[in-house]
């Protein structure tokens, strides 16, 4: 504040550099430029030192890895409750026609998952995920953080759905084939599920099979997969996005 002679709340870039040197912070030129760009919000070559204080303010420690684990568990739980679940659609509909969400949209989506994060944790997570000089987070980065790549699931759903149609034309009922091997239960062992997938000729690679196992494994019995949820997911996902693709 001593360098702000006009009491405008701003100081010159030169003054900021001198202040940092006084504090013993010897930064490289490119590091100084990065700081200038962050705190010179209107491009007038003056630094808003309140913004600078906010930038360097050390917030209480928040364990990102713990947030990540908790979020991943909640996403899997929400998915297992509904074959219609789509991580990209937990955010407000205002974001559905773009690839990113703003902070208020991000907050609303995270709260919808009922993961129990407080405001500091949500803000910390948003800052962690957003790119430098951005005020938004890419939805693909959120899916990646949750280890839940919806675009890959879209691709698997399309391939399986196309095969479903061929099988139905041949008089083969997919649900009946799975039910026969499950002995009336909605669950199949991993071995039996894989056996039925191969018998039906579903074009699923080993990597894609691992994706499906992750999504449809019974949370209480990791050796079982919910085949009904799998079939409903394939049908509903492709009907939804397949129709959208045709409209486009």
């Amino acid at each position: 504040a001593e360098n702000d002679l006009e009491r405008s709340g701003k100081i010159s870039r030169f003054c900021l550099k001198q202040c940092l040197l006084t504090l013993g912070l010897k930064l490289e030129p490119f590091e100084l430029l990065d700081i200038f760009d962050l705190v010179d919000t209107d491009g007038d070559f003056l630094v808003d030192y309140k913004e600078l204080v906010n930038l360097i303010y050390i917030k209480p420690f928040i364990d990102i890895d713990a947030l990540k684990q908790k979020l991943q568990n909640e996403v899997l739980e929400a998915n297992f409750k509904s074959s219609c679940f789509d991580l990209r659609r937990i955010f407000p509909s205002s974001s559905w026609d773009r690839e990113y969400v703003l902070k208020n949209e991000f907050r609303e989506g995270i709260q919808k998952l009922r993961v129990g994060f407080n405001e500091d944790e949500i803000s910390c997570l948003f800052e962690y995920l957003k790119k430098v000089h951005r005020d938004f987070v890419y939805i693909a980065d959120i899916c990646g953080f949750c280890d839940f790549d919806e675009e890959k699931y879209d691709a698997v759903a399309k391939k399986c759905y196309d095969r479903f149609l061929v099988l139905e034309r041949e008089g083969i009922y997919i649900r009946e084939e799975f039910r026969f091997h499950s002995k009336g239960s909605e669950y199949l062992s991993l071995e039996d599920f894989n056996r039925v997938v191969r018998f039906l000729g579903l074009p699923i690679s080993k990597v894609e099979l691992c994706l499906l196992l992750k999504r449809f494994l019974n949370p209480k019995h990791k050796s079982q997969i919910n085949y009904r949820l799998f079939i409903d997911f394939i049908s509903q996902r492709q009907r939804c996005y397949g129709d959208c693709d045709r409209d486009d």
Side-chain angles (χ1 to χ4, degrees):
E2 295 177 358
N3 294 280
D4 181 16
L5 301 179
E6 297 180 0
R7 297 293 185 267
S8 65
K10 295 186 176 184
I11 57 176
S12 70
R13 291 188 172 199
F14 176 77
C15 285
L16 175 60
K17 180 180 179 181
Q18 294 303 116
C19 290
L20 293 175
L21 287 173
T22 300
L23 292 172
L25 299 175
K26 298 180 181 180
L27 303 177
E28 296 294 332
F30 71 90
E31 294 175 318
L32 282 171
L33 287 174
D34 283 342
I35 293 176
F36 293 156
D37 288 342
L38 286 172
V39 293
D40 181 7
T41 55
D42 55 7
D44 62 358
F45 294 96
L46 295 176
V47 173
D48 185 326
Y49 55 76
K50 288 184 179 179
E51 288 294 327
L52 178 63
V53 170
N54 289 334
L55 178 67
I56 64 177
Y57 172 67
I58 300 176
K59 297 181 178 180
F61 174 74
I62 294 177
D63 188 342
I64 291 293
D65 288 337
L67 297 185
K68 183 176 184 177
Q69 186 62 55
K70 192 173 182 180
L71 190 57
Q72 287 180 346
N73 291 340
E74 193 61 37
V75 166
L76 288 174
E77 184 69 25
N79 163 76
F80 206 76
K81 292 177 181 177
S82 172
S83 60
C84 297
F85 179 78
D86 187 333
L87 182 56
R88 297 166 297 190
R89 294 296 184 259
I90 67 171
F91 303 103
S93 57
S94 57
S95 68
W96 289 4
D97 60 346
R98 44 184 161 83
E99 299 177 344
Y100 61 88
V101 291
L102 303 175
K103 187 171 185 178
N104 62 316
E105 296 169 335
F106 179 80
R107 179 189 299 108
E108 185 174 334
I110 297 300
Q111 290 174 339
K112 188 179 295 184
L113 282 174
R114 301 182 183 279
V115 74
F117 291 168
N118 60 39
E119 187 61 34
D120 282 342
E121 290 171 328
I122 292 175
S123 294
C124 180
L125 192 55
F126 182 84
E127 293 297 321
Y128 178 83
L129 290 171
K130 79 181 183 71
K131 305 298 183 182
V132 178
H133 305 313
R134 307 282 189 188
D135 59 356
F136 59 81
V137 172
Y138 286 110
I139 295 175
D141 289 341
I142 299 172
C143 292
F145 184 77
C146 295
D147 196 17
F148 210 77
D149 193 331
E150 292 287 15
E151 291 188 0
K152 289 183 179 178
Y153 285 118
D154 288 345
V156 174
K158 183 181 187 313
K159 292 197 299 183
C160 288
Y161 186 73
D162 289 343
R163 180 60 181 164
F164 281 7
L165 295 179
V166 172
L167 291 169
E168 288 177 2
R169 286 196 293 267
E170 295 175 354
I172 299 175
Y173 297 97
I174 295 94
R175 197 176 295 271
E176 290 302 320
E177 289 295 333
F178 279 100
R179 183 182 293 119
F180 174 78
H181 287 81
S182 69
K183 299 180 175 59
S185 170
E186 63 181 356
Y187 295 102
L188 276 174
S189 69
L190 303 185
E191 182 180 354
D192 285 339
F193 180 82
N194 190 39
R195 184 180 295 116
V196 178
V197 164
R198 299 306 168 207
F199 173 76
L200 294 174
L202 300 184
I204 301 174
S205 68
K206 289 184 178 180
V207 173
E208 291 168 334
L209 182 60
C210 289
L211 277 175
L212 293 176
L213 294 180
K214 177 180 179 180
R215 185 162 189 143
F216 302 112
L217 274 180
N218 185 342
K220 296 180 179 179
H221 303 283
K222 297 297 185 180
S223 61
Q224 298 177 334
I225 187 167
N226 189 322
Y227 75 86
R228 291 183 182 177
L229 198 62
F230 161 70
I231 295 173
D232 290 341
F233 163 77
I234 296 298
S235 300
Q236 294 179 23
R237 175 66 63 99
Q238 186 55 25
R239 283 170 185 165
C240 176
Y241 296 109
D243 289 343
C244 291
D245 291 341
R246 285 191 290 273
D247 292 341
D248 293 340

